[in-house]
Amino acid sequence: MLYIVGLGLGDEMDITVKGLAAVQSCARVYLEAYTSVLTVPKERLEKLYGRQVLIADREMVESDLNAILDQADIVNVAFLVVGDPYGATTHTDLVLRAKELNIPVTSIHNASIMNAVGCCGLQLYNYGQTISIVFFLDNWRPDSFYDKIRANRAIKLHTLCLLDIKVKEQSIENMARGRKIYEPPRFMTVNQAIEQLLEIEEKRDENVYSKHTIGVGLSRVGASDQKIVAGTLEELLDVDFGEPLHSLVLAGEMHFLEADILRTYAVNVDTFNKYAIVSEH
């Protein structure tokens, strides 16, 4: 059996009872470690699980699935995913490869930023398309997310922005030369995401959002030091959100109860009241 196990968002204690039982039945346990990260080192997981945890980096997951699935038709193998197995990254390649080899697959779900973002007070059913914001490069500044934000805001919906992380990435030069030299990990902050959003608005100039748009910055959701701050994008630029991981929400039209909760997280209540778009119904 291949178990794909969601770990939740915080630490080793967030695994479900069902997930823990599955992991403890496994001969090998892999931790997917490039689309997200836990707030604790893998040794904490190993102590709780009583199993060695092998790191599955991007290279392994994208080019060596057979190593993960080796003998999974006769022993149990676990593939651990931060959040939910099908939250922000579906890992369909692994599932399809297992099915091709007639290996049974069981998924065990958990909390993901896709639903835990509800902690800020904006109702999940009032969100539109989720977008990803990647680190800009000198010669590559993608803005495809802008059209999705525009579509969401046109029908008054909120937008969850997932922010880029770079783990075990190679420079273009090292990649071209085939050198296994990796760049230091980087995690996009709320502040960097807002800078890029405002740059694209200035470039596109379609008035989809502005420095006065109400946003919600979130960091380390699910951890004991979780932080939530609401305010205009301009205000959020100056907020220290602390350690990764960070997420950002662009608020659409709010129900008055949503606004009441966000107001408790506001940098400045007067500014929030001035720029928040609140439904009267």
Side-chain angles (χ1 to χ4, degrees), residues 133-136 163-164 186-199 236-237 239 241 246 248:
I133 303 177
V134 301
F135 282 111
F136 283 174
L163 310 188
D164 200 7
R186 288 195 297 155
F187 304 93
M188 184 179 286
T189 65
V190 168
N191 320 80
Q192 291 170 316
I194 292 172
E195 288 174 356
Q196 294 189 182
L197 283 169
L198 293 177
E199 177 183 323
L236 295 181
L237 273 174
V239 174
F241 285 92
H246 293 188
L248 173 67

Side-chain angles (χ1 to χ4, degrees), residues 144-248:
S144 58
F145 58 75
Y146 188 85
D147 298 318
K148 293 183 179 180
I149 297 173
R150 178 176 56 215
N152 289 346
R153 293 183 67 78
I155 52 176
K156 304 178 180 180
L157 297 179
H158 316 310
T159 304
L160 171 60
C161 309
L162 303 178
L163 310 188
D164 200 7
I165 72 171
K166 298 291 187 186
V167 178
K168 205 174 180 182
E169 295 277 338
Q170 292 177 280
S171 68
I172 294 175
E173 180 182 355
N174 285 328
M175 190 181 301
R177 294 177 180 272
R179 296 186 298 213
K180 298 291 186 180
I181 300 173
Y182 301 99
E183 301 295 296
R186 288 195 297 155
F187 304 93
M188 184 179 286
T189 65
V190 168
N191 320 80
Q192 291 170 316
I194 292 172
E195 288 174 356
Q196 294 189 182
L197 283 169
L198 293 177
E199 177 183 323
I200 295 303
E201 176 55 60
E202 183 176 2
K203 171 189 169 184
R204 298 282 292 262
D205 195 26
E206 298 175 33
N207 198 31
V208 169
Y209 51 85
S210 74
K211 65 181 181 179
H212 299 307
T213 296
I214 296 295
V216 189
L218 304 98
S219 64
R220 297 175 71 81
V221 172
S224 59
D225 56 349
Q226 169 180 299
K227 188 169 187 176
I228 303 172
V229 183
T232 66
L233 295 183
E234 183 176 44
E235 289 173 329
L236 295 181
L237 273 174
D238 297 324
V239 174
D240 180 1
F241 285 92
E243 296 297 309
L245 294 170
H246 293 188
S247 302
L248 173 67

Side-chain angles (χ1 to χ4, degrees), residues 23-70:
V23 168
Q24 291 177 334
S25 77
C26 289
R28 297 195 313 280
V29 179
Y30 294 92
L31 173 62
E32 188 268 276
Y34 69 91
T35 60
S36 190
V37 294
L38 279 179
T39 61
V40 296
K42 76 180 183 77
E43 288 76 17
R44 292 264 295 269
L45 278 65
E46 291 174 329
K47 183 177 179 181
L48 177 65
Y49 303 163
R51 292 288 186 277
Q52 179 186 10
V53 175
L54 306 170
I55 297 298
D57 60 20
R58 182 187 294 274
E59 288 179 15
M60 173 177 279
V61 175
E62 292 185 349
S63 62
D64 198 13
L65 292 180
N66 288 338
I68 297 173
L69 296 173
D70 184 43

